Structure formats: structure tokens, C-alpha cells
Amino acid sequence: MEEAGRDRTGCENLQRALSECHQRFGPGAMRDAACRHLNRALAECLVSFVCPDESEAVRTLCGSGGTRLKRSQCQQAQLSLSVCISSHQPD
């Protein structure tokens, strides 16, 4: 994630914090519980870096309930984000 000493994604601090959390807690349920928020935050940070427009659309359209139209738009935004993420995965 880091290139030439620079954090290109803006996620370096979260990655470091998650790594430190994993060092403090051994594998298992305790680690899962203790590090869950960092794991989620890092995942969201990386997804936002890779698919910024699609990620923002999901945040905007899926943040709360709403009309049938908004729910439909949320589902479409989630599908677009899924396609974007898939397009960045190795074959």
C-alpha cells in the first residue's frame, strides 16, 4: 500500500493500527472482537480509494430508509460498487 514512503491511499494509519491490534491479540474470537472496527474501517477506506464514485453513491443512497425509488437506487449503487470492486480483482 505504501510507495516510496508515501501513503497513496490515505489508509496507512488504519493499516498500521490493524496490524498492531493483531499483534496484541492472538487469533480467535477475542481478536475478531477487538479488531473488528479497524478491519471494517480499513476495508471501507480501501474500497473508497479504488471505487470512489461508486462508494460515495452507496453511502449517499443507502444511508437510511426511504421510498421505493431510493431503495431501488441503493440496490443499483450496490451493484455498481460490486462490479467496480470485481474489476480490480486479479483473474
Side-chain angles (χ1 to χ4, degrees):
M1 192 175 336
E2 194 173 319
E3 181 176 304
R6 289 187 12 243
D7 179 17
R8 296 183 321 125
T9 65
C11 304
E12 181 183 62
N13 290 338
L14 287 169
Q15 182 183 22
R16 187 178 310 113
L18 181 60
S19 179
E20 290 170 3
C21 188
H22 277 225
Q23 291 172 3
R24 280 194 300 275
F25 297 95
M30 180 70 84
R31 176 193 282 177
D32 293 347
C35 303
R36 178 177 292 127
H37 67 289
L38 293 169
N39 192 35
R40 180 183 175 116
L42 178 58
E44 289 177 1
C45 183
L46 292 170
V47 168
S48 292
F49 176 76
V50 173
C51 302
D53 295 337
E54 295 83 355
S55 183
E56 179 61 27
V58 168
R59 268 193 299 281
T60 301
L61 295 169
C62 303
S64 62
T67 64
R68 184 182 308 198
L69 175 61
K70 187 172 179 186
R71 288 190 301 272
S72 175
Q73 290 171 331
C74 169
Q75 288 177 329
Q76 183 58 46
Q78 289 172 326
L79 180 60
S80 295
L81 179 58
S82 181
V83 168
C84 179
I85 292 169
S86 294
S87 74
H88 290 283
Q89 299 202 353
D91 293 330

